[in-house]
Amino acid sequence: SYYKQELEKENYIDFIISGDGEQPLLNICRGEKESTSNCSGYCIDKKNLQTDMHLESISEIVVDYENLRFDTIYIPTHRGCRYGCYQCGGNNTIQKSVFKRDETYILRRPVDVQSDIKQLMDYSSVFMFSIDIDKSNINYLHDIFENINLSDHFCAFFSVELISEEMLKYISSVFKYVRFGIDISSFSENHRLKLADARMVKPQPRNREILHILEQCDNLNNCDLDIYTIAGMPLFFQEDILESNLFFDEVCSHRSLHDVQWGKLHAQPGALLSLCGENYNLNISAKNFTDFLRYSSLNMETEYYPPMKKYNYPYIHQTDKELEITRCFANMQEKLRKRRA
């Protein structure tokens, strides 16, 4: 949706959906071109945010029921985002600008999420959720999972904010096994808080809060935890390298830590770091439609479209500290490799 004006000029584009896509996609699949041009995906205003959508009966749709099985099924609980992270092309600032909406974050009704779970229980033993709710809103989770027996199902549970101890214990009681996900902008607490204070990222937890959640996982026999972070965020200085390594060692001492994953900072359409990264001494590989199209073309030129880990990304580099940052994460990667061994 971000480059819809540029895409309109390309003769190989048949449809452009900007806004809520469910109804337009359904119309396109049905060949209902007359109704497609007037449906909600093209009328980008606040009133088209749909909060009551849910799956229809899967058994009435599938052709071969016996062969329809999934390893993992993702069930959305919300639409949009509450935060304006500088590195992200899907943050609320960009969504408000592109979709012309005052509000871009909508939480789905628990009854609709529960309906999706019931529809899909026979097709997968693993459910994945990404939750973006206030820590105090545990009643939302109770409303989703009440009166459903998921004791034979596994769960991948990602929380946009650091999950609370109460939520962790509750989700662990619902499923047979749970893998929780923590998302932080850096392993250096000082670096995380600098970014959060500058409103460049969402609110960030302190080290003690992360360690407390790991300790709670250690005490449960049916859960573990992954940590996700980004390599190359701005305002990262020499003292942050030492702090990152020390905290990484402390995190790795916990039994319940399953994995640590980080992606290299890269440009995304409309993201503030992609547009004004020079202000933070960053070298940006892509800024406009032509730049991003070139990287997409590189991925299309391979014999097979590459898996996500091998995409050609428009990376963002620190002009003066790139080598130190690379060494820092290479050091943590080696420690992680030894821990797995």
Side-chain angles (χ1 to χ4, degrees), residues 184-197 201-202 204-208 210 240 243 247:
I184 57 178
S185 59
S186 173
F187 267 90
S188 164
E189 179 182 80
N190 179 61
H191 186 214
R192 288 197 304 274
L193 298 182
K194 278 188 297 185
L195 292 170
D197 288 344
V201 297
K202 64 188 178 185
Q204 294 290 304
R206 291 186 173 272
N207 287 356
R208 66 174 183 272
I210 297 172
D240 294 312
E243 187 177 335
F247 185 58

PDB file of all heavy atoms in Angstrom, residues 184-197 201-202 204-208 210 240 243 247:
ATOM      1  N   ILE A 184      13.179  -7.099  22.151  1.00  0.00           N
ATOM      2  CA  ILE A 184      13.872  -5.942  22.702  1.00  0.00           C
ATOM      3  C   ILE A 184      14.728  -5.310  21.607  1.00  0.00           C
ATOM      4  O   ILE A 184      15.114  -5.970  20.642  1.00  0.00           O
ATOM      5  CB  ILE A 184      14.760  -6.317  23.918  1.00  0.00           C
ATOM      6  CG1 ILE A 184      15.785  -7.402  23.553  1.00  0.00           C
ATOM      7  CG2 ILE A 184      13.889  -6.777  25.084  1.00  0.00           C
ATOM      8  CD1 ILE A 184      16.725  -7.778  24.684  1.00  0.00           C
ATOM      9  N   SER A 185      15.029  -4.034  21.757  1.00  0.00           N
ATOM     10  CA  SER A 185      15.775  -3.328  20.714  1.00  0.00           C
ATOM     11  C   SER A 185      17.282  -3.456  20.875  1.00  0.00           C
ATOM     12  O   SER A 185      18.028  -3.104  19.963  1.00  0.00           O
ATOM     13  CB  SER A 185      15.389  -1.840  20.699  1.00  0.00           C
ATOM     14  OG  SER A 185      15.648  -1.250  21.950  1.00  0.00           O
ATOM     15  N   SER A 186      17.740  -3.985  22.025  1.00  0.00           N
ATOM     16  CA  SER A 186      19.179  -4.109  22.256  1.00  0.00           C
ATOM     17  C   SER A 186      19.401  -4.947  23.511  1.00  0.00           C
ATOM     18  O   SER A 186      18.537  -5.010  24.389  1.00  0.00           O
ATOM     19  CB  SER A 186      19.807  -2.722  22.435  1.00  0.00           C
ATOM     20  OG  SER A 186      21.164  -2.817  22.827  1.00  0.00           O
ATOM     21  N   PHE A 187      20.572  -5.579  23.605  1.00  0.00           N
ATOM     22  CA  PHE A 187      20.937  -6.280  24.829  1.00  0.00           C
ATOM     23  C   PHE A 187      21.533  -5.334  25.868  1.00  0.00           C
ATOM     24  O   PHE A 187      21.702  -5.705  27.026  1.00  0.00           O
ATOM     25  CB  PHE A 187      21.920  -7.423  24.533  1.00  0.00           C
ATOM     26  CG  PHE A 187      21.240  -8.738  24.316  1.00  0.00           C
ATOM     27  CD1 PHE A 187      20.835  -9.121  23.054  1.00  0.00           C
ATOM     28  CD2 PHE A 187      20.974  -9.586  25.382  1.00  0.00           C
ATOM     29  CE1 PHE A 187      20.187 -10.320  22.846  1.00  0.00           C
ATOM     30  CE2 PHE A 187      20.323 -10.784  25.189  1.00  0.00           C
ATOM     31  CZ  PHE A 187      19.927 -11.163  23.908  1.00  0.00           C
ATOM     32  N   SER A 188      21.833  -4.132  25.475  1.00  0.00           N
ATOM     33  CA  SER A 188      22.307  -3.119  26.406  1.00  0.00           C
ATOM     34  C   SER A 188      21.112  -2.368  26.977  1.00  0.00           C
ATOM     35  O   SER A 188      20.353  -1.735  26.238  1.00  0.00           O
ATOM     36  CB  SER A 188      23.253  -2.141  25.700  1.00  0.00           C
ATOM     37  OG  SER A 188      23.419  -0.964  26.469  1.00  0.00           O
ATOM     38  N   GLU A 189      20.936  -2.426  28.298  1.00  0.00           N
ATOM     39  CA  GLU A 189      19.827  -1.707  28.919  1.00  0.00           C
ATOM     40  C   GLU A 189      19.944  -0.213  28.680  1.00  0.00           C
ATOM     41  O   GLU A 189      18.952   0.463  28.376  1.00  0.00           O
ATOM     42  CB  GLU A 189      19.789  -1.995  30.421  1.00  0.00           C
ATOM     43  CG  GLU A 189      18.673  -1.280  31.159  1.00  0.00           C
ATOM     44  CD  GLU A 189      18.698  -1.566  32.649  1.00  0.00           C
ATOM     45  OE1 GLU A 189      19.518  -0.929  33.360  1.00  0.00           O
ATOM     46  OE2 GLU A 189      17.901  -2.417  33.103  1.00  0.00           O
ATOM     47  N   ASN A 190      21.146   0.314  28.793  1.00  0.00           N
ATOM     48  CA  ASN A 190      21.363   1.742  28.563  1.00  0.00           C
ATOM     49  C   ASN A 190      20.947   2.131  27.143  1.00  0.00           C
ATOM     50  O   ASN A 190      20.283   3.156  26.927  1.00  0.00           O
ATOM     51  CB  ASN A 190      22.835   2.081  28.789  1.00  0.00           C
ATOM     52  CG  ASN A 190      23.136   3.542  28.532  1.00  0.00           C
ATOM     53  OD1 ASN A 190      22.604   4.438  29.170  1.00  0.00           O
ATOM     54  ND2 ASN A 190      24.014   3.794  27.554  1.00  0.00           N
ATOM     55  N   HIS A 191      21.293   1.314  26.171  1.00  0.00           N
ATOM     56  CA  HIS A 191      20.937   1.572  24.783  1.00  0.00           C
ATOM     57  C   HIS A 191      19.430   1.498  24.582  1.00  0.00           C
ATOM     58  O   HIS A 191      18.830   2.367  23.927  1.00  0.00           O
ATOM     59  CB  HIS A 191      21.648   0.555  23.877  1.00  0.00           C
ATOM     60  CG  HIS A 191      21.479   0.811  22.422  1.00  0.00           C
ATOM     61  ND1 HIS A 191      21.401  -0.203  21.490  1.00  0.00           N
ATOM     62  CD2 HIS A 191      21.339   1.968  21.725  1.00  0.00           C
ATOM     63  CE1 HIS A 191      21.255   0.313  20.292  1.00  0.00           C
ATOM     64  NE2 HIS A 191      21.201   1.627  20.401  1.00  0.00           N
ATOM     65  N   ARG A 192      18.788   0.458  25.141  1.00  0.00           N
ATOM     66  CA  ARG A 192      17.337   0.319  25.030  1.00  0.00           C
ATOM     67  C   ARG A 192      16.609   1.542  25.564  1.00  0.00           C
ATOM     68  O   ARG A 192      15.688   2.076  24.935  1.00  0.00           O
ATOM     69  CB  ARG A 192      16.842  -0.912  25.813  1.00  0.00           C
ATOM     70  CG  ARG A 192      17.170  -2.250  25.222  1.00  0.00           C
ATOM     71  CD  ARG A 192      16.304  -3.347  25.807  1.00  0.00           C
ATOM     72  NE  ARG A 192      16.355  -3.443  27.251  1.00  0.00           N
ATOM     73  CZ  ARG A 192      17.259  -4.134  27.931  1.00  0.00           C
ATOM     74  NH1 ARG A 192      18.220  -4.793  27.278  1.00  0.00           N
ATOM     75  NH2 ARG A 192      17.234  -4.200  29.252  1.00  0.00           N
ATOM     76  N   LEU A 193      17.026   1.990  26.738  1.00  0.00           N
ATOM     77  CA  LEU A 193      16.328   3.107  27.377  1.00  0.00           C
ATOM     78  C   LEU A 193      16.580   4.421  26.639  1.00  0.00           C
ATOM     79  O   LEU A 193      15.692   5.284  26.587  1.00  0.00           O
ATOM     80  CB  LEU A 193      16.761   3.221  28.844  1.00  0.00           C
ATOM     81  CG  LEU A 193      16.428   1.998  29.715  1.00  0.00           C
ATOM     82  CD1 LEU A 193      16.845   2.239  31.159  1.00  0.00           C
ATOM     83  CD2 LEU A 193      14.941   1.665  29.641  1.00  0.00           C
ATOM     84  N   LYS A 194      17.759   4.573  26.061  1.00  0.00           N
ATOM     85  CA  LYS A 194      18.026   5.771  25.253  1.00  0.00           C
ATOM     86  C   LYS A 194      17.090   5.822  24.055  1.00  0.00           C
ATOM     87  O   LYS A 194      16.506   6.874  23.740  1.00  0.00           O
ATOM     88  CB  LYS A 194      19.486   5.776  24.762  1.00  0.00           C
ATOM     89  CG  LYS A 194      20.495   6.273  25.756  1.00  0.00           C
ATOM     90  CD  LYS A 194      21.862   6.437  25.124  1.00  0.00           C
ATOM     91  CE  LYS A 194      22.428   5.122  24.634  1.00  0.00           C
ATOM     92  NZ  LYS A 194      23.816   5.265  24.122  1.00  0.00           N
ATOM     93  N   LEU A 195      16.940   4.697  23.383  1.00  0.00           N
ATOM     94  CA  LEU A 195      16.051   4.647  22.219  1.00  0.00           C
ATOM     95  C   LEU A 195      14.603   4.901  22.618  1.00  0.00           C
ATOM     96  O   LEU A 195      13.866   5.618  21.927  1.00  0.00           O
ATOM     97  CB  LEU A 195      16.180   3.285  21.534  1.00  0.00           C
ATOM     98  CG  LEU A 195      17.522   2.981  20.853  1.00  0.00           C
ATOM     99  CD1 LEU A 195      17.583   1.508  20.446  1.00  0.00           C
ATOM    100  CD2 LEU A 195      17.725   3.868  19.634  1.00  0.00           C
ATOM    101  N   ALA A 196      14.187   4.313  23.746  1.00  0.00           N
ATOM    102  CA  ALA A 196      12.806   4.496  24.196  1.00  0.00           C
ATOM    103  C   ALA A 196      12.556   5.935  24.640  1.00  0.00           C
ATOM    104  O   ALA A 196      11.501   6.506  24.340  1.00  0.00           O
ATOM    105  CB  ALA A 196      12.495   3.526  25.334  1.00  0.00           C
ATOM    106  N   ASP A 197      13.513   6.533  25.347  1.00  0.00           N
ATOM    107  CA  ASP A 197      13.364   7.919  25.795  1.00  0.00           C
ATOM    108  C   ASP A 197      13.252   8.873  24.608  1.00  0.00           C
ATOM    109  O   ASP A 197      12.571   9.903  24.688  1.00  0.00           O
ATOM    110  CB  ASP A 197      14.537   8.322  26.686  1.00  0.00           C
ATOM    111  CG  ASP A 197      14.489   7.652  28.057  1.00  0.00           C
ATOM    112  OD1 ASP A 197      13.413   7.131  28.412  1.00  0.00           O
ATOM    113  OD2 ASP A 197      15.520   7.634  28.754  1.00  0.00           O
ATOM    114  N   VAL A 201      11.667   3.808  19.633  1.00  0.00           N
ATOM    115  CA  VAL A 201      11.158   2.436  19.720  1.00  0.00           C
ATOM    116  C   VAL A 201      10.033   2.410  20.748  1.00  0.00           C
ATOM    117  O   VAL A 201       9.798   3.387  21.472  1.00  0.00           O
ATOM    118  CB  VAL A 201      12.268   1.437  20.135  1.00  0.00           C
ATOM    119  CG1 VAL A 201      13.368   1.380  19.088  1.00  0.00           C
ATOM    120  CG2 VAL A 201      12.856   1.803  21.501  1.00  0.00           C
ATOM    121  N   LYS A 202       9.353   1.294  20.838  1.00  0.00           N
ATOM    122  CA  LYS A 202       8.296   1.125  21.836  1.00  0.00           C
ATOM    123  C   LYS A 202       8.918   1.097  23.239  1.00  0.00           C
ATOM    124  O   LYS A 202      10.146   0.994  23.381  1.00  0.00           O
ATOM    125  CB  LYS A 202       7.550  -0.176  21.565  1.00  0.00           C
ATOM    126  CG  LYS A 202       8.429  -1.418  21.734  1.00  0.00           C
ATOM    127  CD  LYS A 202       7.716  -2.667  21.285  1.00  0.00           C
ATOM    128  CE  LYS A 202       8.644  -3.878  21.435  1.00  0.00           C
ATOM    129  NZ  LYS A 202       8.036  -5.104  20.910  1.00  0.00           N
ATOM    130  N   GLN A 204      10.630  -0.017  26.517  1.00  0.00           N
ATOM    131  CA  GLN A 204      11.571  -1.123  26.665  1.00  0.00           C
ATOM    132  C   GLN A 204      11.705  -1.561  28.122  1.00  0.00           C
ATOM    133  O   GLN A 204      11.710  -0.730  29.034  1.00  0.00           O
ATOM    134  CB  GLN A 204      12.948  -0.702  26.143  1.00  0.00           C
ATOM    135  CG  GLN A 204      12.991  -0.433  24.649  1.00  0.00           C
ATOM    136  CD  GLN A 204      12.835  -1.695  23.836  1.00  0.00           C
ATOM    137  OE1 GLN A 204      13.588  -2.658  23.982  1.00  0.00           O
ATOM    138  NE2 GLN A 204      11.829  -1.695  22.958  1.00  0.00           N
ATOM    139  N   PRO A 205      11.811  -2.880  28.358  1.00  0.00           N
ATOM    140  CA  PRO A 205      11.966  -3.382  29.733  1.00  0.00           C
ATOM    141  C   PRO A 205      13.394  -3.202  30.231  1.00  0.00           C
ATOM    142  O   PRO A 205      14.341  -3.094  29.443  1.00  0.00           O
ATOM    143  CB  PRO A 205      11.623  -4.865  29.598  1.00  0.00           C
ATOM    144  CG  PRO A 205      12.042  -5.202  28.195  1.00  0.00           C
ATOM    145  CD  PRO A 205      11.749  -3.975  27.372  1.00  0.00           C
ATOM    146  N   ARG A 206      13.537  -3.188  31.539  1.00  0.00           N
ATOM    147  CA  ARG A 206      14.860  -3.181  32.164  1.00  0.00           C
ATOM    148  C   ARG A 206      15.371  -4.614  32.286  1.00  0.00           C
ATOM    149  O   ARG A 206      14.604  -5.582  32.198  1.00  0.00           O
ATOM    150  CB  ARG A 206      14.800  -2.512  33.537  1.00  0.00           C
ATOM    151  CG  ARG A 206      14.534  -1.011  33.466  1.00  0.00           C
ATOM    152  CD  ARG A 206      14.629  -0.363  34.829  1.00  0.00           C
ATOM    153  NE  ARG A 206      14.532   1.089  34.719  1.00  0.00           N
ATOM    154  CZ  ARG A 206      15.572   1.895  34.514  1.00  0.00           C
ATOM    155  NH1 ARG A 206      16.795   1.388  34.390  1.00  0.00           N
ATOM    156  NH2 ARG A 206      15.411   3.205  34.440  1.00  0.00           N
ATOM    157  N   ASN A 207      16.670  -4.739  32.510  1.00  0.00           N
ATOM    158  CA  ASN A 207      17.277  -6.068  32.617  1.00  0.00           C
ATOM    159  C   ASN A 207      16.592  -6.912  33.680  1.00  0.00           C
ATOM    160  O   ASN A 207      16.308  -8.097  33.481  1.00  0.00           O
ATOM    161  CB  ASN A 207      18.762  -5.939  32.941  1.00  0.00           C
ATOM    162  CG  ASN A 207      19.581  -5.463  31.751  1.00  0.00           C
ATOM    163  OD1 ASN A 207      19.051  -5.295  30.648  1.00  0.00           O
ATOM    164  ND2 ASN A 207      20.858  -5.234  31.973  1.00  0.00           N
ATOM    165  N   ARG A 208      16.327  -6.310  34.835  1.00  0.00           N
ATOM    166  CA  ARG A 208      15.752  -7.080  35.941  1.00  0.00           C
ATOM    167  C   ARG A 208      14.371  -7.632  35.590  1.00  0.00           C
ATOM    168  O   ARG A 208      13.996  -8.711  36.059  1.00  0.00           O
ATOM    169  CB  ARG A 208      15.680  -6.210  37.209  1.00  0.00           C
ATOM    170  CG  ARG A 208      14.724  -5.043  37.130  1.00  0.00           C
ATOM    171  CD  ARG A 208      14.602  -4.316  38.472  1.00  0.00           C
ATOM    172  NE  ARG A 208      13.638  -3.227  38.418  1.00  0.00           N
ATOM    173  CZ  ARG A 208      13.921  -1.994  38.052  1.00  0.00           C
ATOM    174  NH1 ARG A 208      15.178  -1.678  37.726  1.00  0.00           N
ATOM    175  NH2 ARG A 208      12.987  -1.056  38.028  1.00  0.00           N
ATOM    176  N   ILE A 210      13.364  -8.544  32.525  1.00  0.00           N
ATOM    177  CA  ILE A 210      13.581  -9.671  31.614  1.00  0.00           C
ATOM    178  C   ILE A 210      14.047 -10.898  32.387  1.00  0.00           C
ATOM    179  O   ILE A 210      13.560 -12.018  32.177  1.00  0.00           O
ATOM    180  CB  ILE A 210      14.606  -9.287  30.531  1.00  0.00           C
ATOM    181  CG1 ILE A 210      14.074  -8.137  29.684  1.00  0.00           C
ATOM    182  CG2 ILE A 210      14.930 -10.495  29.641  1.00  0.00           C
ATOM    183  CD1 ILE A 210      15.095  -7.558  28.716  1.00  0.00           C
ATOM    184  N   ASP A 240      28.107   0.295  25.270  1.00  0.00           N
ATOM    185  CA  ASP A 240      26.967  -0.600  25.056  1.00  0.00           C
ATOM    186  C   ASP A 240      27.412  -1.982  24.607  1.00  0.00           C
ATOM    187  O   ASP A 240      26.702  -2.968  24.825  1.00  0.00           O
ATOM    188  CB  ASP A 240      26.010   0.004  24.024  1.00  0.00           C
ATOM    189  CG  ASP A 240      25.361   1.282  24.521  1.00  0.00           C
ATOM    190  OD1 ASP A 240      24.871   1.278  25.663  1.00  0.00           O
ATOM    191  OD2 ASP A 240      25.362   2.276  23.780  1.00  0.00           O
ATOM    192  N   GLU A 243      28.234  -3.834  27.837  1.00  0.00           N
ATOM    193  CA  GLU A 243      26.996  -4.109  28.560  1.00  0.00           C
ATOM    194  C   GLU A 243      26.180  -5.187  27.864  1.00  0.00           C
ATOM    195  O   GLU A 243      25.579  -6.052  28.518  1.00  0.00           O
ATOM    196  CB  GLU A 243      26.172  -2.824  28.696  1.00  0.00           C
ATOM    197  CG  GLU A 243      24.949  -2.983  29.579  1.00  0.00           C
ATOM    198  CD  GLU A 243      24.195  -1.675  29.763  1.00  0.00           C
ATOM    199  OE1 GLU A 243      24.815  -0.605  29.643  1.00  0.00           O
ATOM    200  OE2 GLU A 243      22.975  -1.749  30.033  1.00  0.00           O
ATOM    201  N   PHE A 247      25.108  -8.787  29.706  1.00  0.00           N
ATOM    202  CA  PHE A 247      23.716  -9.187  29.878  1.00  0.00           C
ATOM    203  C   PHE A 247      23.404 -10.448  29.078  1.00  0.00           C
ATOM    204  O   PHE A 247      22.628 -11.305  29.524  1.00  0.00           O
ATOM    205  CB  PHE A 247      22.783  -8.051  29.468  1.00  0.00           C
ATOM    206  CG  PHE A 247      21.328  -8.346  29.721  1.00  0.00           C
ATOM    207  CD1 PHE A 247      20.889  -8.657  31.000  1.00  0.00           C
ATOM    208  CD2 PHE A 247      20.398  -8.324  28.685  1.00  0.00           C
ATOM    209  CE1 PHE A 247      19.541  -8.937  31.243  1.00  0.00           C
ATOM    210  CE2 PHE A 247      19.062  -8.600  28.920  1.00  0.00           C
ATOM    211  CZ  PHE A 247      18.634  -8.909  30.202  1.00  0.00           C
TER     212      PHE A 247
END
